[in-house]
Amino acid sequence: MVCQKDALVQKVCEFYEKISSLESLKPSKDVDMLFTQLVLTCIPPNPIDVTKLCKRVQEMRSKLITLCGQAEGHLESHYSTILGSFDNPLDHLNTFPYFNNYLKLGRLEFNILSQHLTNIKVPSRIAFVGSGPLPLTSIVLASYHLTTTSFHNYDIDPSANSMASRLLASDPDLSKRMFFHTKDVMDVTSSELKEYDVVFLAALVGMDKEEKVRVIDHLAKNMAPGAILMLRSAHGARAFLYPIVEPRDLQGFEVLSVFHPTDEVINSVVIARKLSVGMPVQSLDQGLGAHVMLPCKCAEIPAFNPLNKMNMIEEFAAEDRLL
């Protein structure tokens, strides 16, 4: 069992102790330095399987993910406030220090999505659940990749939606195509969810496994058959920063692919399709059923060449049953 003797685990535990002792997680010199060092520690590809950590480290990881989520929320609120002070906030998005990562992630997710849209060429309506005060994924996709699609952003925090909508108010295009809903995803009804061709689920919606699975189950029961669900996960040491979504968690969906970036884009991307009534559902023990049509790996790799030489590990969920 991987535990405290592992050098990486020891280092992450040290960061947790320092971060958990901070008086505030709002942006400051100490907060920025500690989280930057933590991220740099977790980014290099590492074969560690966090699910095999001992109980004490598992508990630490869960608490660390919560702290990371809180710090990320403070960071986004901080920069949303700064951007909102400009006459044209969208002209200054590069003020946010990780904007380039969102450009890469947006390009990655668009390429993945494009390869799996079978019935439509361009989705007309997309929902993003957990958009926050700085909805950069929706902004990037709407501005550069899906320029006719309407985006419906859901967040439980009314102040986050207020800050986010302020960023778009002066833009004649996005102000008409991006909408904000203050609502818990568990309260979003079937009639509403069935209107979306694609649903994005933010990494920090569902901070622990049980909560994440409850959200996924709600989406499985209420999304339209054939609609696409895109989720963010984490792999290797990056799972100290974000929750993991495994293919077996996606009951009611056909898992299409799982992509693990190995550069500074931290989140893995999982794409799945809502099963139609009567389609066979894979068991949790077997992984994906034999009915899944797998895309050609070789054909997919060139699509990622424009991503600033992004090195990708591509892992198809169907391979789970071969392990």
Side-chain angles (χ1 to χ4, degrees), residues 11-122:
K11 198 166 185 179
V12 172
C13 287
E14 290 172 5
F15 280 123
Y16 167 72
E17 294 298 330
K18 293 177 181 179
I19 290 171
S20 60
S21 66
L22 291 169
E23 292 184 3
S24 171
L25 293 176
K26 293 181 179 180
S28 68
K29 182 178 179 180
D30 289 342
V31 171
D32 295 348
M33 179 186 68
L34 282 173
F35 277 101
T36 297
Q37 291 175 346
L38 173 64
V39 169
L40 291 175
T41 298
C42 295
I43 276 183
N46 190 296
I48 190 170
D49 182 352
V50 298
T51 65
K52 292 182 170 60
L53 297 171
C54 62
K55 183 178 179 181
R56 188 186 74 83
V57 179
Q58 287 278 17
E59 291 173 351
M60 180 278 298
R61 172 182 170 260
S62 179
K63 294 175 183 177
L64 182 59
I65 288 174
T66 298
L67 291 172
C68 288
Q70 293 171 354
E72 187 171 318
H74 287 309
L75 184 71
E76 290 188 2
S77 294
H78 175 74
Y79 278 96
S80 185
T81 299
I82 292 174
L83 289 167
S85 67
F86 292 106
D87 291 336
N88 298 295
L90 299 187
D91 293 338
H92 302 275
L93 291 178
N94 57 4
T95 301
F96 185 64
Y98 304 108
F99 180 57
N100 192 51
N101 286 17
Y102 276 90
L103 290 175
K104 290 183 178 183
L105 182 58
R107 181 64 177 268
L108 168 62
E109 291 180 324
F110 172 71
N111 282 339
I112 295 171
L113 177 62
S114 297
Q115 293 165 18
H116 294 288
L117 289 173
T118 54
N119 299 326
I120 54 174
K121 290 185 178 180
V122 178

Side-chain angles (χ1 to χ4, degrees), residues 280-302:
V281 182
Q282 66 271 17
S283 75
L284 299 184
D285 296 327
Q286 293 178 335
L288 289 181
H291 67 281
V292 176
M293 298 297 293
L294 295 179
C296 172
K297 291 185 179 181
C298 296
E300 291 194 355
I301 292 173

